[in-house]
């Protein structure tokens, strides 16, 4: 009998190796092809699947539509489909503000942050609440126009309808992939293979990257499939995909890296080593240069290896530019506290998307800026819903050298809080897109911040008189280079005249969806004659734009690179030919829904001007 046990051990090992090899050969399709309840390999037979559409849109970073309507807004993602399975450009869908790389090629484009991990490519997001918390088995995204923008799907442990907020909020990545180019703009149901998680959720977040798209992506609805009880994994080993295990390991490594932000950065004692190897022979500056290519989690891990590298990883020179946006789900007050001593020289800081649902408190943010704000030049706080008046007051007091401030979609900041921004006279860039800034505060900002070069007031619906604002810009902001007035509802030819006369350095002007501007008043002709440096001009959805306006642009704005005249009925092919012949640098021309410009004309213009992307949208 004694020899039997070794034989059993050998057989067990052999069986284990066969199972592991078989598991490695399993495909992702096998792993995820049966996630519905009829599959008794993943769930108990009594575990009935729940299928539900989004009940509510909780949060989003941008949208094409207006704050006061439903057309092209993120709110269209709530409920059953409005358009699908039809394809085309429909107002009943959800559309983000940008697409392609055009926004990275205009004068208002911002320099990217270094050290952004290659796995983070998200540009926009939307968060959706569902009625019932479930363990997700599938997520269906109904895309009706130019699909392919979704790059990440996440689930949250917090129930947005619970009366008791959780002590800890967890986000898990259900699926993630780099941006891909989808052939054709036709509608599709996108159902990626999602990862199984160990908590129920009724809060799903989609993150998108539209850089590879030829036009705006349009989303119609999101369907969440799930079960109330946690599914039981099958014993059928052929259904195990080792790739899933690898992804879990990657996430654990990422989590460990971010935990190091909170726990390991404050380590003061490290194991003693007699030498640091060849690192002792390298110049300090060279080691710093090598480490400058590491991401923040990698710096956290490396800091735990030896005293020398700990010293390098904690050197404030490594944190001159710091973007925490890729780690938004794990950044909290503790993270900021442990980073304080390393960020005393920080000049660029990106906290966009961070701090929501109580992760960052007003006191935690204030403590961080009081230690690290003195050298700040650029501060990105897009979608920072923890921000209030106290935060803006701290920013203006603690950041005397601030030149760039991004408060895009910070729609929880009360109107009176924006008065504090006027104290930062050194500001050169201010982004107030989708904020509640009021007229009095904005007039004060324009009066005292005369160095402004880039200003975004898109979708600022609480400003009562844009003509008065434009007049103040013309009088005080002589250095203005880019101005976003997207969807301002009341600017007239009077305000445009003041603006064009006073801000003649303007290179970029967005007047899209400004219904009170009429070509018959000569406002667009005046713009073309007064602003010869224009490189980008958006006159989106202004039906009055005519041939005279286009010909004036051709004659005076020869540096024009991007022009959007979507929706005009009065522009002919002849005037477009003049424009294309005169503006040699033109790269984007949007003539969607221009009634005189049919597909035949677009094909002809494309043939004669191959370097210009001419967009003609359609609806079926």
């Amino acid at each position: 009998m004694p020899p039997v046990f070794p034989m059993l051990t050998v057989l067990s090992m052999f069986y284990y190796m066969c199972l592991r090899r078989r598991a490695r050969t399993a495909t992702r399709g096998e792993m995820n092809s049966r996630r519905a309840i009829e599959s008794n390999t993943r769930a108990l037979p009594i575990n009935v699947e729940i299928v539900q559409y989004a009940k509510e849109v909780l949060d989003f970073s941008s949208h094409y539509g207006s704050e006061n309507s439903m057309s092209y807004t993120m709110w269209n993602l709530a409920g059953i489909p409005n358009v699908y399975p039809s394809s085309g450009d429909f107002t009943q869908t959800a559309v983000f503000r940008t697409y392609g790389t055009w926004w990275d090629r205009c004068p208002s484009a911002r320099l990217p942050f270094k050290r952004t991990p290659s796995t983070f490519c998200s540009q926009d997001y939307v968060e959706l609440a569902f009625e019932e918390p479930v363990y997700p088995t599938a997520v269906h995204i109904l895309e009706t126009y130019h699909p392919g923008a979704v790059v990440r799907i996440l689930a949250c442990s917090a129930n947005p309808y619970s009366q008791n907020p959780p002590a800890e909020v967890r986000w898990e990545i259900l699926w993630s992939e780099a941006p891909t180019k989808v052939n054709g703009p036709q509608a599709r149901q996108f159902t990626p293979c999602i990862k199984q998680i160990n908590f129920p959720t009724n809060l799903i977040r989609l993150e998108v990257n539209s850089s590879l798209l030829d036009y705006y992506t349009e989303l119609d609805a999101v369907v969440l499939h799930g079960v109330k009880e946690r599914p039981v994994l099958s014993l059928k080993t052929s259904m195990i995909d080792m790739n899933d295990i690898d992804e879990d390991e990657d996430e654990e490594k990422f989590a460990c890296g971010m935990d190091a932000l909170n726990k390991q950065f404050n380590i003061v004692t490290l194991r003693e080593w007699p030498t640091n190897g060849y690192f002792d022979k390298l110049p300090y500056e060279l080691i710093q240069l090598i480490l400058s290519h590491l991401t923040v989690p990698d710096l956290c891990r490396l800091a735990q290896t030896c005293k020398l590298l700990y010293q390098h990883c904690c050197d404030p020179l490594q944190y001159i530019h710091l973007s925490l946006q890729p780690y938004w789900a794990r950044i909290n007050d503790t993270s900021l506290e442990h980073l304080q001593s390393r960020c005393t020289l920080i000049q660029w800081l990106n906290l966009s998307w961070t701090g929501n649902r109580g992760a960052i408190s007003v006191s935690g943010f204030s403590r961080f800026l009081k230690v690290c704000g003195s050298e700040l030049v650029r501060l990105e706080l897009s979608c920072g819903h923890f921000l209030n008046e106290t935060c803006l007051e701290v920013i203006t007091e603690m950041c005397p050298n601030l030149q760039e401030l991004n408060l895009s979609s910070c729609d929880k900041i009360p109107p009176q809080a924006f008065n504090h921004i006027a104290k930062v006279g050194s500001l050169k860039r201010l982004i107030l897109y989708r904020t509640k800034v009021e007229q009095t505060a904005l007039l004060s900002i324009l009066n005292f911040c005369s160095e402004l070069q880039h200003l975004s007031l898109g979708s600022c619906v609480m400003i009562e008189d844009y003509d008065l604002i434009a007049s103040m810009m013309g009088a005080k902001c002589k250095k203005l280079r880019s101005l976003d007035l997207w969807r301002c509802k009341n600017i007239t030819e009077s305000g445009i005249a003041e603006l064009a006369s006073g801000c003649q350095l303007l290179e970029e002007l967005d007047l899209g969806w400004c219904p009170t501007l009429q070509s018959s008043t000569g406002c667009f002709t005046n713009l073309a004659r007064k602003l010869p440096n224009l490189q980008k001009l958006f006159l989106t959805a202004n039906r009055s734009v005519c041939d005279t306006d286009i010909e004036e642009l051709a004659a005076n704005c020869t540096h024009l690179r991007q022009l959007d005249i979507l929706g005009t009925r009065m522009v002919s092919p002849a005037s477009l030919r003049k424009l294309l012949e005169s503006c040699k640098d033109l790269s984007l021309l949007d003539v969607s829904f221009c009634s005189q410009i049919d597909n035949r004309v677009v094909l002809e213009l494309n043939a004669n001007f191959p370097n210009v992307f001419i967009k003609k949208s359609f609806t079926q």
Side-chain angles (χ1 to χ4, degrees):
M1 289 301 296
V4 172
F5 293 101
M7 180 59 68
L8 287 176
T9 304
V10 171
L11 288 174
S12 299
M13 290 299 298
F14 177 77
Y15 184 63
Y16 168 78
M17 293 171 64
C18 290
L19 287 178
R20 184 170 177 85
R21 182 172 182 178
R22 188 178 182 187
R24 285 188 179 277
T25 61
T27 64
R28 184 174 297 273
E30 291 176 339
M31 178 69 174
N32 297 283
S33 62
R34 298 293 183 190
R35 294 187 181 266
I37 62 151
E38 60 266 27
S39 172
N40 58 10
T41 62
R42 293 300 299 267
L44 293 172
I46 61 173
N47 206 3
V48 179
E49 186 178 57
I50 298 174
V51 178
Q52 50 187 332
Y53 291 94
K55 178 181 179 180
E56 185 181 357
V57 176
L58 297 179
D59 189 23
F60 55 90
S61 55
S62 78
H63 59 183
Y64 186 89
S66 167
E67 302 302 296
N68 299 321
S69 78
M70 291 295 291
S71 297
Y72 296 124
T73 62
M74 287 297 118
W75 299 305
N76 285 319
L77 277 176
I80 62 175
N82 299 308
V83 174
Y84 187 84
S86 298
S87 297
D89 190 338
F90 291 90
T91 60
Q92 301 95 324
T93 57
V95 184
F96 291 98
R97 176 74 193 276
T98 64
Y99 74 94
T101 58
W102 309 110
W103 276 257
D104 297 326
R105 305 186 203 173
C106 53
S108 64
R110 288 164 285 170
L111 293 174
F113 276 78
K114 298 178 181 179
R115 277 202 165 117
T116 300
S118 58
T119 54
F120 181 80
C121 56
S122 304
Q123 298 174 331
D124 277 295
Y125 73 85
V126 58
E127 293 181 0
L128 306 168
F130 296 80
E131 183 71 33
E132 295 287 339
V134 295
Y135 291 90
T137 56
V139 177
H140 302 315
I141 304 170
L142 307 184
E143 303 172 280
T144 55
Y145 198 38
H146 288 279
V150 178
V151 294
R152 196 153 71 154
I153 304 173
L154 301 98
C156 185
S157 62
N159 184 343
Y161 300 120
S162 173
Q163 299 298 321
N164 302 315
E168 179 187 7
V169 177
R170 289 177 55 198
W171 285 93
E172 287 287 344
I173 299 174
L174 299 180
W175 171 87
S176 180
E177 193 172 281
T180 56
K181 179 84 169 179
V182 176
N183 294 326
Q186 288 74 26
R188 72 170 184 177
Q189 176 180 290
F190 180 52
T191 308
C193 300
I194 64 172
K195 185 187 77 171
Q196 191 178 46
I197 57 176
N198 60 5
F199 60 82
T201 183
N202 62 337
L203 176 51
I204 296 294
R205 174 175 170 129
L206 307 182
E207 294 185 356
V208 304
N209 181 311
S210 303
S211 62
L212 298 182
L213 302 187
D214 291 333
Y215 206 56
Y216 299 96
T217 191
E218 300 191 7
L219 309 179
D220 191 14
V222 177
V223 191
L224 174 62
H225 291 237
V227 291
K228 296 293 289 184
E229 300 295 331
R230 185 176 179 182
V232 178
L233 284 174
S234 169
L235 295 177
K236 295 181 180 180
T237 55
S238 62
M239 302 299 287
I240 299 176
D241 188 348
M242 297 306 294
N243 289 327
D244 282 1
I245 297 176
D246 292 341
E247 287 180 4
D248 291 342
E249 289 175 353
D250 289 342
E251 286 195 13
E252 288 174 5
K253 291 177 183 177
F254 175 75
C256 290
M258 296 316 298
D259 287 341
L261 272 176
N262 302 335
K263 299 175 182 178
Q264 300 298 336
F265 255 8
N266 60 345
I267 293 176
V268 293
T269 59
L270 292 169
R271 183 176 177 180
E272 293 289 344
W273 294 92
T275 67
N276 294 303
Y278 288 105
F279 281 103
D280 281 331
K281 301 181 179 181
L282 292 178
Y284 191 91
E285 295 80 2
L286 182 56
I287 298 177
Q288 286 289 96
L289 179 61
I290 294 171
L291 299 191
S292 69
H293 295 280
L294 296 180
T295 62
V296 175
D298 288 338
L299 275 181
C300 297
R301 298 186 193 104
L302 190 63
Q304 303 171 50
T305 58
C306 68
K307 281 191 173 181
L308 176 65
L309 292 180
Y310 178 85
Q311 179 184 1
H312 279 282
C313 292
C314 297
D315 192 322
L317 291 175
Q318 287 290 339
Y319 300 86
I320 298 295
H321 295 177
L322 177 62
S323 176
L324 297 177
Q325 182 180 5
Y327 321 108
W328 60 266
R330 292 178 170 88
I331 298 300
N332 53 30
D333 282 349
T334 307
S335 310
L336 296 182
E337 182 180 350
H338 290 317
L339 282 168
Q340 279 185 18
S341 62
R342 292 147 186 84
C343 293
T344 54
L345 301 178
I346 191 169
Q347 297 177 8
W348 288 14
L349 176 61
N350 185 0
L351 286 174
S352 294
W353 302 5
T354 65
N356 298 333
R357 295 181 175 84
I360 294 179
S361 65
V362 172
S363 57
F365 177 76
S366 301
R367 286 194 301 270
F368 182 81
L369 279 195
K370 286 176 182 178
V371 175
C372 309
S374 61
E375 301 296 325
L376 266 182
V377 174
R378 176 179 174 182
L379 182 56
E380 304 279 342
L381 294 170
S382 174
C383 304
H385 300 313
F386 66 91
L387 296 171
N388 62 9
E389 183 170 4
T390 300
C391 294
L392 289 195
E393 187 175 6
V394 169
I395 290 172
T396 57
E397 290 178 357
M398 298 295 117
C399 308
N401 299 308
L402 197 63
Q403 297 181 12
E404 300 186 21
L405 179 60
N406 180 5
L407 298 175
S408 172
S409 292
C410 293
D411 53 2
K412 302 295 190 294
I413 301 176
Q416 71 274 8
F418 292 93
N419 283 296
H420 294 287
I421 298 177
K423 304 172 188 175
V424 190
S426 57
L427 273 183
K428 295 183 178 180
R429 184 190 301 270
L430 179 60
I431 302 176
L432 298 177
Y433 168 71
R434 289 191 66 239
T435 61
K436 295 177 181 176
V437 62
E438 287 184 329
Q439 186 164 301
T440 302
L442 185 54
L443 288 172
S444 179
I445 292 170
L446 296 174
N447 185 45
F448 291 102
C449 300
S450 58
E451 297 296 313
L452 276 174
Q453 297 180 17
H454 305 282
L455 178 62
S456 174
L457 300 175
S459 294
C460 291
V461 297
M462 300 189 70
I463 298 173
E464 300 171 353
D465 187 353
Y466 268 98
D467 280 347
L468 183 58
I469 297 298
S471 177
M472 179 65 80
M473 290 180 200
K476 296 291 185 177
C477 302
K478 302 292 185 180
K479 298 179 181 180
L480 207 60
R481 292 180 53 216
S482 73
L483 177 61
D484 181 6
L485 296 178
W486 175 263
R487 292 189 181 274
C488 74
K489 295 296 184 183
N490 51 43
I491 193 168
T492 68
E493 66 277 3
S494 174
I496 292 297
E498 297 277 357
L499 182 68
S501 297
C503 302
Q504 297 190 3
L505 297 180
L506 270 175
E507 300 173 354
E508 177 180 342
L509 182 58
D510 194 333
L511 297 172
W513 296 88
C514 296
T516 50
L517 293 177
Q518 295 296 316
S519 174
S520 58
T521 63
C523 58
F524 301 135
T525 298
N526 190 28
L527 276 179
R529 292 174 179 174
K530 295 287 185 64
L531 304 177
N533 297 316
L534 274 181
Q535 297 180 28
K536 173 182 173 180
L537 178 62
F538 274 28
L539 303 175
T540 316
N542 193 304
R543 299 181 184 277
S544 69
V545 176
C546 62
D547 282 345
T548 302
D549 303 319
I550 300 301
E551 290 169 3
E552 287 289 345
L553 288 172
N556 298 287
C557 302
T558 56
H559 301 296
L560 200 63
R561 296 175 180 268
Q562 301 179 29
L563 178 64
D564 186 343
I565 53 172
L566 174 149
T568 182
R569 300 172 177 175
M570 305 174 67
V571 171
S572 67
S575 63
L576 287 184
R577 290 189 190 96
K578 291 181 181 178
L579 179 76
L580 291 166
E581 290 169 355
S582 176
C583 301
K584 304 295 185 183
D585 297 328
L586 196 67
S587 57
L588 171 64
L589 177 60
D590 194 337
V591 292
S592 300
F593 303 108
C594 294
S595 55
Q596 296 190 44
I597 313 299
D598 56 26
N599 288 332
R600 180 186 56 81
V601 173
V602 172
L603 290 174
E604 176 195 336
L605 294 176
N606 274 327
N608 294 326
F609 303 95
N611 294 328
V612 183
F613 178 75
I614 302 175
K615 179 58 187 174
K616 176 71 174 177
S617 187
F618 73 98
T619 300
Q620 290 183 349

